[in-house]
């Protein structure tokens, strides 16, 4: 397509007839949008001309007409998890994910579903489950991958050897052709093709041209010679002409077979009719076979396939090693024995446990007989999900590798017939050894496709050339084995250059003919599959570029630097899952469904500016501020992102430097200095509480500060916790117990949640502990949340100095409020001065939430269940985000079950949406409530009056009170009331 530099006026005119969202101008907000859409999950980066988010199918027609008029290309985009640069380019990005995401029809009898292209695969299957049906193809990204993208890439997934790929499950598509004509493609009798070819339209031209192309004998010969061997089911190189050639007994013709895998280059799909499968049997088992070498595992794979498993998936040592110490995946690696070089995860389904046992035992016996494998643990039921998550997280986990030699998506999608896999991998390893390259191997052994990711430094000219050389030599190896250059990830701009080498020059010309028939002007995703630019151009990194060291207040040395932490984002889009899939990351995206509000977008925009800004303050950019704005600093990304990209930490660092250049806003100062304001309020609590509660004065205060008028403000207690404790201690007899604990009197409990603090002290004393409030300052949480890191650092230094010498394992520091206490464990060790780091780590190791401490004591038999009531009580528990992120929620669930007949059920909520001050701020209130309404508030409202709602976080309880008009209790309150 042409170069476009003066389209501002036409775009402005377009915006009047386009009902969706359009980003095209030079403003910071629009530039930010273009930057976050400049990458996907591949190594490519190219800034688009503009971004459109259509609301209706009519909007898409408007965009096609605009593209034809102004000679530009439309780039359809769903979740943006493409690994070959399919949705990267200098065109108009069309993001269908936000609005075109409706399930249109479920037909239980005929087993099909009609959907818009933005429907997420896993969310679709949640809707289908009550009907006993499912859509089969299952990518590792299934909790955010969308049907439109799955059609574009002909996605396969873990169970493709049984459930097939998207092409096999695609019945019909509706959409637009490149001239704006609406079209419907579906299975028709071969006799009807000639009728279609007579149509006086682009549709007729397509049917005529494609039919002639696949029926010419010389073309059939070239296709049969060039395309992969028939025993390879993963065959996604080029356009699927091999599925359309005539075969004996074939009576029907379906253009959908060509559309699947076409990467949005032929048709703009607006609706798809999908074939559905019955749900698999309920009994499930995963045989996790351990091997001493990769080669041994591939030989075993051939034996495994004879047992007809549902899946046979490889995990190598690189991935397994990165699960060690990971906040989530350390727990998930429970099934790994010793230090295997490779695992094959082999899945079986059956109607009964007896059938499952027969299948697993037969496989294990055969492997032992062949002398293959050294351990064969079998995982059942719900635990299989935990094990599978290790495999699915492979792409993100290996991004934790330090240094600039990083795993690259390059030859990861090459596939050969399973029987050829051992020899192919052996020969591929020889290529890699020739260039001294290490690689990670994982994924679909059962289908003949291992995701092989060599470690290459793409920041150097040498690495950039090596990137191309490895693919070129691998392409020759794939051709030798009659394999497929792409198995499921597509060609895009990565592999398109070498299609001719694998399929042959004659077939490549046929592919160009197909593109010309459908899209003569290049309106749809130009320069993908055919006529692609050189595959080592437009990469994320500029070769041999010198990056100026960036001074930070946080210590980022654990991640090498703040830039390196941002670079760890692979773009895999784990942060784009919805509340239906569960988890916390990313609450703002769940509410807005905008790419700009993903964890990925925040990491990407930081990376782009920190890599390219040469000024004294690379953080001083309005675009970064715009993308960071809706980050709730929930920290879910630190644990749920496989690469542990801690955006909350990077946001705090960004804000400090941005304020250095632009000044600190009034409201930010007010919130950061919350403790000071509450200290003053506590002098005259009744007057303060009356002022903030009064309709007139309360609204005036909120208007002045910039808070939402519908948000209530936190009241202060009649006294402070410190004052109460001093008076209380004067009345108490001297303590005789040697069981001593220190209570961190955080700023929220001291002033606002005083009664909870008092209850905590009474509970601990009743259980036999002496409670001491040591000398300390506020936690610094309010300063951290607003990015005032220097003030937070000063507080951290002082608190570590005051507490580290006092606190130890026998006299730990306990906390009531998760956001305050967990600061010691999370931020302090990376915030304090270098000479205090060891003391900060000591303090972190001996700091516990009250619930964690009580569980430790209960498990040590120092607290007994008979100290509590035996009455029945149902408790619905909502976890604070920091508890979830730092693995501190399970203890709360367990200690609430100390009373023998207390039943605790977790509310499957993510973030409550309050996030400290976020939910108070006028411009953020709507998003705050949207987040809460996803799961938490509806779940709370439907509870009976006698059900207790538990929430440890002060912000969480406030959100529940404001949003559901229900009072949630802190766990210590519940236990205090349960004491005999």
């Amino acid at each position: 397509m042409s170069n476009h530099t003066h389209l501002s006026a036409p775009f402005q005119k377009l915006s009047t007839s386009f009902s969706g969202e359009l980003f095209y101008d030079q403003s910071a907000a629009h530039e930010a949008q273009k930057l976050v859409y400049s990458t996907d999950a591949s190594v490519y980066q190219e800034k688009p001309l503009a971004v459109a988010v259509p609301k209706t199918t009519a909007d898409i027609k408007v965009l096609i007409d605009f593209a034809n008029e102004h000679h530009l290309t439309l780039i359809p985009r769903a979740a943006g998890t493409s690994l070959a640069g399919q949705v990267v380019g200098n065109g108009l990005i069309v993001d269908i994910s936000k609005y075109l995401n409706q399930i249109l029809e479920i037909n239980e009898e005929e087993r099909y579903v009609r959907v818009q292209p933005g429907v997420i695969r896993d969310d679709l299957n949640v809707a289908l489950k009550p009907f006993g049906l499912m859509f089969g193809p299952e990518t590792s990204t299934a909790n955010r991958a969308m049907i439109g993208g799955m059609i574009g890439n002909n996605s396969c997934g873990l169970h493709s050897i049984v459930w097939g790929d998207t092409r096999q499950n695609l019945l019909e598509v509706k959409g637009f052709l490149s001239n704006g004509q609406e079209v419907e493609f579906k299975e028709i009798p071969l006799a009807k093709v000639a009728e279609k070819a007579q149509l006086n339209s682009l549709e007729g031209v397509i049917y005529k041209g494609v039919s002639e192309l696949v029926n010419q004998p010389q073309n059939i010969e070239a296709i049969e010679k060039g395309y992969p061997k028939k025993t390879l089911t993963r065959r996604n190189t080029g356009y699927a002409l091999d599925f359309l050639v005539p075969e004996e007994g074939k009576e029907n013709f379906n253009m959908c077979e060509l559309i699947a895998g076409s990467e949005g280059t032929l048709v703009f799909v607006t609706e798809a009719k999908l074939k559905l499968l019955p749900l698999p049997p309920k009994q499930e088992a995963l045989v996790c076979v351990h091997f001493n070498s990769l080669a041994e595992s591939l030989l075993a794979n051939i034996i495994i396939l004879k047992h007809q498993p549902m899946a046979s998936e490889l995990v190598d040592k690189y991935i397994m090693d990165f699960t060690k110490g990971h906040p989530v995946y350390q727990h998930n690696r429970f099934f790994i024995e010793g230090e295997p070089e490779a695992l094959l995860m082999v899945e079986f389904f059956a109607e009964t446990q007896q059938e499952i046992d027969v299948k697993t035992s037969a496989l294990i016996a055969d492997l032992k007989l062949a002398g293959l494998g050294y351990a064969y643990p079998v995982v059942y039921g719900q635990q299989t999900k935990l094990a599978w998550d290790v495999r699915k997280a492979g792409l993100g986990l290996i991004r934790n590798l330090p240094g600039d030699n990083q795993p690259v998506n390059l030859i990861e999608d090459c596939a050969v017939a399973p029987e050829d896999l051992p020899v192919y991998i052996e020969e591929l390893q020889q290529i890699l050894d020739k260039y001294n390259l290490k690689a990670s191997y994982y994924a679909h052994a059962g289908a003949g496709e291992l995701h092989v990711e060599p470690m290459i430094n793409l920041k150097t000219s040498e690495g950039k050339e090596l990137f191309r050389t490895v693919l070129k030599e691998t392409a020759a190896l794939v051709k030798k084995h009659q394999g497929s250059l792409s198995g499921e990830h597509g060609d895009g701009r990565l592999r398109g250059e070498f299609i001719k080498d694998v399929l042959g020059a004659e077939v490549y010309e046929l592919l160009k003919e197909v593109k010309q028939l459908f899209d003569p002007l290049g309106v749809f995703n130009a320069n993908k599959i055919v006529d692609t630019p050189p595959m080592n151009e437009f990469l994320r990194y500029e070769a041999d570029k010198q990056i100026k060291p960036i001074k930070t207040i946080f210590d980022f040395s654990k991640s090498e630097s703040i830039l390196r932490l941002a670079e760890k984002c692979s773009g895999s889009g784990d942060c784009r899952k919805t509340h239906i899939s569960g988890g916390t990351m990313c609450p703002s995206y769940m509410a807005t469904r905008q790419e700009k509000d993903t964890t990925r977008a925040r990491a990407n925009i930081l990376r782009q500016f920190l890599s390219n800004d040469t000024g004294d303050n690379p953080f001083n950019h309005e675009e970064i501020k715009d993308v960071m704005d809706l980050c709730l600093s929930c920290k879910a990304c630190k644990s749920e992102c496989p690469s542990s990209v801690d955006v909350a930490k990077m946001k705090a660092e960004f804000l400090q430097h941005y304020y250095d250049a632009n000044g600190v806003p009034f409201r930010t100062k007010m919130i950061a200095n919350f403790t000071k304001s509450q200290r003053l309020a506590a002098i005259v609590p009744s007057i303060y509480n009356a002022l903030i509660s009064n309709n007139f004065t309360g609204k005036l205060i909120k208007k002045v500060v910039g808070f939402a008028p519908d948000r209530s403000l936190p009241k202060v207690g009649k006294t402070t916790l410190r004052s109460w404790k001093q008076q209380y201690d004067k009345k108490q007899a001297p303590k005789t117990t040697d069981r001593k604990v220190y209570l961190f009197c955080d700023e929220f409990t001291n002033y606002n949640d005083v009664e909870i603090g008092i209850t905590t002290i009474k509970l601990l004393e009743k259980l036999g502990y002496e409670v001491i409030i040591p000398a300390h300052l506020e936690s610094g949480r309010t300063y951290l949340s607003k990015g005032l890191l220097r003030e937070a650092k000063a507080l951290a230094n002082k608190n570590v100095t005051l507490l580290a010498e006092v606190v130890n394992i026998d006299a730990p520091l306990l906390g009531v409020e998760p956001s305050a206490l967990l600061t010691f464990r999370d931020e302090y060790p990376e915030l304090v001065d270098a000479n205090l780091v060891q003391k900060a780590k000591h303090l972190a190791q001996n700091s516990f939430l009250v619930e964690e401490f009580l569980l430790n004591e209960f498990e040590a038999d120092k607290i007994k269940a008979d100290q509590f009531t035996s009455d029945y009580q149902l408790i619905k528990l909502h976890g604070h985000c920091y508890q979830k992120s730092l693995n501190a929620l399970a203890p709360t669930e367990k200690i609430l079950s100390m009373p023998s007949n207390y039943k605790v059920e977790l509310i499957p909520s993510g973030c409550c949406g309050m996030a400290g001050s976020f939910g108070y701020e006028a411009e953020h209130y709507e998003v705050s409530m949207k987040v809460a309404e996803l799961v938490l508030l509806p779940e709370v409202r439907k509870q009976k009056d006698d059900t207790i709602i538990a929430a440890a976080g002060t912000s969480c309880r406030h959100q529940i009170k404001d949003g559901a008009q229900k009072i949630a209790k802190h766990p210590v309150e519940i236990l205090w009331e349960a004491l005999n």
Side-chain angles (χ1 to χ4, degrees):
M1 303 300 285
S2 306
N3 186 29
H4 312 279
T5 53
H6 304 292
L7 283 175
S8 181
F11 270 119
Q12 195 167 2
K13 183 180 177 183
L14 171 66
S15 65
T16 62
S17 59
F18 183 75
S19 68
E21 296 149 24
L22 195 59
F23 307 97
Y24 60 89
D25 64 30
Q26 304 302 308
S27 66
H30 283 217
E31 282 294 300
Q33 292 278 0
K34 287 183 274 185
L35 287 170
V36 300
Y37 280 98
S38 66
T39 62
D40 52 10
S42 72
V43 296
Y44 294 100
Q45 179 172 299
E46 188 173 7
K47 188 176 171 183
L49 183 68
V51 175
V53 185
K55 278 189 176 178
T56 64
T57 54
D59 277 342
I60 292 172
K61 173 67 163 63
V62 168
L63 293 173
I64 293 171
D65 292 343
F66 182 81
N68 275 290
E69 180 183 355
H70 296 285
H71 309 291
L72 53 87
T73 194
L74 302 180
I75 303 174
R77 178 172 171 135
T81 56
S82 309
L83 293 167
Q86 288 95 321
V87 296
V88 175
N90 183 29
L92 173 53
I93 300 283
V94 185
D95 183 350
I96 53 86
S97 68
K98 184 175 181 180
Y99 297 112
L100 300 180
N101 53 21
Q102 299 303 302
I103 299 172
L104 304 173
E105 179 192 1
I106 298 173
N107 191 311
E108 184 178 1
E109 288 185 5
E110 297 182 42
R111 289 184 180 174
Y112 72 76
V113 64
R114 291 190 306 114
V115 298
Q116 290 184 310
V119 170
I120 293 172
R121 188 270 185 187
D122 277 3
D123 292 3
L124 171 62
N125 277 355
V126 169
L128 293 171
K129 189 174 182 180
F131 300 92
L133 298 171
M134 57 175 264
F135 177 59
E138 177 195 18
T139 64
S140 62
T141 58
N143 64 0
R144 64 266 192 201
M146 297 174 179
I147 299 302
M150 294 182 73
I151 293 170
N153 285 346
N154 186 35
S155 298
C156 300
L158 305 179
H159 299 97
S160 68
I161 57 178
V162 179
W163 295 340
D165 57 20
T166 301
R167 181 179 291 120
Q168 293 169 277
N169 293 275
L170 179 64
L171 301 173
E172 302 175 11
V173 297
K174 289 182 180 178
F176 292 100
L177 298 176
S178 63
N179 66 347
Q181 177 191 344
E182 285 193 79
V183 69
E184 181 179 20
F185 288 126
K186 60 184 178 180
E187 186 175 77
I188 59 174
L190 281 171
K192 290 274 188 182
V193 174
E195 291 180 27
K196 287 279 191 181
Q198 296 302 313
L199 294 173
N200 185 24
S201 63
L202 181 54
E203 181 185 1
V205 170
I206 289 168
Y207 269 103
K208 183 175 185 295
V210 171
S211 177
E212 290 177 353
L213 189 149
V214 298
N215 279 283
Q216 290 179 14
Q218 69 270 27
N219 291 347
I220 294 173
E221 184 182 349
I223 289 168
E224 290 180 346
K225 179 183 176 184
Y227 276 80
K229 61 169 67 173
K230 296 294 184 182
T231 54
L232 174 58
T233 57
R234 291 190 174 224
R235 41 201 305 115
N236 206 36
T237 304
Y239 297 120
L241 292 174
D242 53 330
F243 280 85
L244 297 182
V245 294
E247 290 180 6
E248 189 175 345
K250 188 175 182 180
E251 299 177 352
N252 297 307
F253 182 95
N254 194 340
M255 199 72 78
C256 289
E257 293 184 311
L258 196 65
I259 303 308
S262 64
E263 302 180 10
T265 63
L266 304 181
V267 177
F268 201 116
V269 174
T270 58
E271 183 183 318
K273 182 179 177 181
L274 307 172
K275 180 172 73 175
L276 300 179
L277 302 172
L279 288 173
K282 292 183 179 179
Q283 297 301 322
E284 180 181 2
L286 198 60
V287 184
C288 302
V289 192
H290 293 48
F291 301 96
N292 289 313
S293 72
L294 175 65
E296 182 189 7
S297 72
L298 299 182
L299 292 173
N301 184 58
I302 296 171
I303 294 174
I304 287 166
L305 292 177
K306 293 176 182 177
H307 288 258
Q308 298 182 309
M310 297 297 294
S312 178
E313 296 281 307
L314 183 85
V315 179
D316 78 348
K317 196 171 190 303
Y318 269 111
I319 292 172
M320 286 184 273
D321 283 351
F322 281 123
T323 64
K324 296 176 181 177
H326 190 281
V328 170
Y329 297 103
Q330 171 67 43
H331 171 62
N332 291 25
R333 71 189 315 273
F334 65 92
F335 61 94
I336 299 174
E337 300 179 15
E339 296 290 336
E341 287 295 318
L343 288 175
L344 278 175
M345 302 172 72
V346 186
E347 187 171 49
F348 293 101
F349 287 116
E351 293 296 342
T352 67
Q353 185 64 43
Q354 184 179 3
E355 289 178 85
I356 280 280
D357 291 342
V358 168
K359 290 182 178 185
T360 58
S361 298
L363 171 63
I364 293 169
D366 270 7
L367 291 173
K368 286 182 176 179
L369 186 64
L372 297 170
Y374 73 82
Y376 315 86
V378 184
V379 180
Y380 297 98
Q382 287 300 309
Q383 283 199 310
T384 61
K385 184 182 183 300
L386 298 177
W388 271 130
D389 282 348
V390 171
R391 152 62 193 96
K392 291 181 178 182
L395 176 64
L397 282 170
I398 55 178
R399 292 310 186 277
N400 288 298
L401 189 71
D404 288 330
N405 277 330
Q406 288 292 309
V408 293
N409 295 305
L410 175 65
I411 54 175
E412 89 298 337
D413 201 33
C414 300
V416 296
E419 64 269 19
D420 296 331
L421 193 57
V423 176
Y424 166 75
I425 291 296
E426 182 183 352
E427 292 174 342
L428 178 59
Q429 187 61 57
Q430 290 170 8
I431 293 174
L432 299 178
D433 288 345
K434 180 168 64 174
Y435 298 107
N436 296 314
L437 291 174
K438 289 182 167 56
S440 177
Y441 298 78
Y442 65 100
H444 317 297
E449 179 181 6
L450 291 190
H451 293 336
V452 182
E453 299 201 18
M455 320 296 183
I456 298 176
N457 183 359
L458 292 180
K459 295 180 180 180
T460 66
S461 297
E462 181 186 9
K464 188 176 171 182
E465 286 307 309
L466 189 57
F467 185 64
R468 189 178 194 282
T469 300
V470 170
L471 181 55
K472 182 177 178 64
E473 295 190 18
T474 303
L477 185 60
V478 168
K479 182 176 179 63
K480 172 186 172 182
H481 289 280
Q482 284 187 272
S484 183
L485 194 59
S486 168
E488 63 173 341
H489 296 163
D491 300 310
R493 57 197 297 169
L494 174 62
R495 285 173 276 268
E497 190 179 344
F498 295 103
I499 292 176
K500 184 188 296 185
D501 294 359
V502 175
L503 298 186
E506 290 176 75
V507 171
Y508 187 72
E509 289 305 313
L510 298 180
L511 302 183
K512 292 177 72 172
E513 284 185 46
V514 170
K515 175 65 174 175
Q516 184 67 20
L517 283 168
F518 276 85
D519 186 19
L521 299 179
V523 169
F524 292 153
N525 212 4
N527 309 122
K528 309 292 165 53
I529 300 180
V530 296
D531 298 321
T532 57
M535 54 78 68
N536 56 353
E537 299 294 335
F538 294 103
L539 303 182
R540 285 192 185 192
Y541 305 111
E542 184 181 331
D544 306 319
K545 184 171 187 175
Q546 295 297 312
I547 305 293
K548 190 167 74 172
I550 300 166
K551 293 182 179 179
T552 58
I553 295 161
F554 268 122
D555 176 11
F556 284 91
S557 60
K558 190 176 178 182
S559 303
E560 298 176 78
S561 68
I562 186 172
L563 175 57
R564 182 70 192 94
L565 179 57
E567 288 174 349
K568 283 173 67 176
C569 175
S570 67
S572 60
D574 299 68
C575 43
R576 283 184 59 102
K577 65 182 185 296
T578 70
H579 65 284
I580 297 171
S581 292
T584 302
M585 180 180 73
C586 175
S588 54
Y589 171 75
M590 289 180 184
T592 70
R593 298 294 289 268
Q594 294 187 131
E595 173 67 25
K596 176 183 75 73
D597 299 321
T598 62
T599 306
R600 172 172 73 179
R602 292 163 189 143
N604 270 329
I605 201 155
L606 259 181
R607 173 182 56 77
Q608 291 181 63
F609 278 109
L610 297 185
S611 297
N612 296 304
D613 189 294
T614 57
D616 293 333
N617 187 345
F619 298 94
N620 185 23
H621 293 279
E622 191 70 21
E623 293 88 344
I624 305 177
K625 182 173 179 289
D626 189 64
V627 175
M628 289 288 182
D629 182 54
L630 292 188
C631 172
L632 282 75
S633 298
C634 68
K635 292 187 184 291
C637 46
K638 183 169 183 173
S639 58
E640 291 184 28
C641 170
S643 304
S644 301
V645 180
D646 187 350
V647 169
K649 181 179 177 182
M650 292 194 291
K651 179 187 179 180
E653 189 73 43
F654 155 72
L655 284 172
Q656 178 66 80
H657 296 278
Y658 186 82
Y659 293 149
D660 287 345
N662 299 280
V664 183
F666 167 72
R667 187 181 66 190
T668 296
K669 291 179 181 177
M670 285 285 295
I671 294 167
N673 287 289
F674 170 83
T675 304
K676 294 175 183 176
S677 68
Q678 298 303 280
R679 186 180 301 131
L680 291 173
I683 298 172
V684 283
S686 57
I687 296 174
Y688 174 81
N689 291 338
L691 285 172
I692 63 170
S693 302
N694 179 272
N695 189 46
F696 175 74
T697 55
K699 284 188 175 179
L700 182 62
I701 291 168
K702 285 182 268 191
K703 186 175 182 180
V704 170
V705 179
F707 285 167
D710 293 333
R711 177 67 71 191
S712 70
L713 296 175
K715 295 179 180 180
V716 294
K718 295 176 183 178
T719 182
T720 67
L721 181 59
R722 281 187 181 275
S723 297
W724 177 88
K725 183 69 163 64
Q726 288 172 357
Q727 295 303 313
Y728 176 76
D729 284 347
K730 290 177 182 177
K731 302 172 186 176
Q732 301 300 307
K735 303 292 187 298
T736 57
T737 179
D738 59 352
R739 298 159 74 186
K740 181 170 64 177
V741 296
Y742 292 100
L743 180 67
F744 182 71
C745 184
D746 68 82
E747 51 270 36
F748 311 104
T749 308
N750 190 41
Y751 295 110
N752 311 108
D753 297 322
V754 181
E755 289 302 317
I756 294 173
I758 291 171
T759 301
T760 301
I761 293 169
K762 289 181 176 179
L763 174 67
L764 288 166
E765 289 193 347
K766 186 77 172 178
L767 293 172
Y769 301 93
E770 179 186 1
V771 182
I772 300 169
I773 296 180
H776 65 76
L777 305 181
E778 62 186 285
S779 70
R781 171 52 56 198
T782 57
Y783 292 100
L784 285 165
S785 70
K786 302 312 291 183
L788 299 181
L789 295 188
R790 293 189 182 89
E791 286 90 339
K793 184 183 181 78
L795 287 168
N797 285 338
K798 187 65 174 174
N799 277 332
V800 168
T801 302
L802 288 168
L803 294 170
E805 300 298 335
V806 176
V807 170
N808 56 59
I809 194 63
D810 296 318
L813 184 69
L814 308 186
V816 174
E817 168 55 36
S819 67
L821 188 281
L822 293 176
T823 306
F824 296 127
R825 300 226 294 257
D826 188 39
E827 287 97 345
Y828 271 29
E830 295 173 337
L831 184 62
V832 296
D833 290 340
N835 64 308
L836 291 173
V837 169
Q838 291 308 313
K839 286 187 176 182
K841 289 179 178 179
H842 168 79
L843 180 59
Q845 290 166 358
N846 294 288
S847 298
F848 303 93
L849 292 173
V850 173
E851 302 98 294
E852 294 175 303
F853 172 76
L854 291 176
L855 179 62
N856 290 339
E857 297 295 282
F858 182 70
E859 290 179 341
D861 214 28
K862 296 177 182 177
I863 299 174
K864 310 285 187 183
D866 61 13
Q867 293 177 262
F868 299 91
T869 181
S870 59
D871 294 344
Y872 173 79
Q873 178 63 57
L874 176 62
I875 300 168
K876 300 291 281 191
L877 171 62
H878 166 74
H880 188 282
C881 290
Y882 291 5
Q883 287 179 293
K884 296 169 187 172
S885 178
L886 300 173
N887 286 329
L889 181 58
T892 302
E893 185 180 6
K894 290 176 181 177
I895 63 112
L896 286 174
S897 300
M898 286 195 301
S900 55
N901 289 311
Y902 273 30
K903 181 182 179 183
V904 183
E905 295 178 355
L906 279 175
I907 297 175
S909 51
C911 180
C912 73
M914 196 67 168
S917 66
F918 183 90
Y920 290 94
E921 295 162 355
E923 71 276 21
H924 295 147
Y925 177 76
E926 183 182 352
V927 170
S928 169
M929 297 311 297
K930 277 185 178 180
V931 172
E933 292 290 355
L934 291 171
V935 176
L936 177 61
L937 294 184
E939 191 70 19
V940 168
R941 290 190 194 107
K942 71 183 185 184
Q943 301 307 314
K944 295 178 180 177
D945 289 342
D946 59 354
T947 298
I948 296 175
I949 308 298
T954 184
S955 292
C956 307
R957 294 192 300 276
H958 199 120
Q959 182 77 303
I960 290 168
K961 175 174 165 288
D962 278 3
Q965 290 74 53
K966 290 203 174 188
I967 301 299
K969 294 183 177 181
H970 192 287
V972 297
E973 295 179 286
I974 298 170
L975 290 176
W976 172 250
E977 292 168 1
L979 274 175
N980 286 324

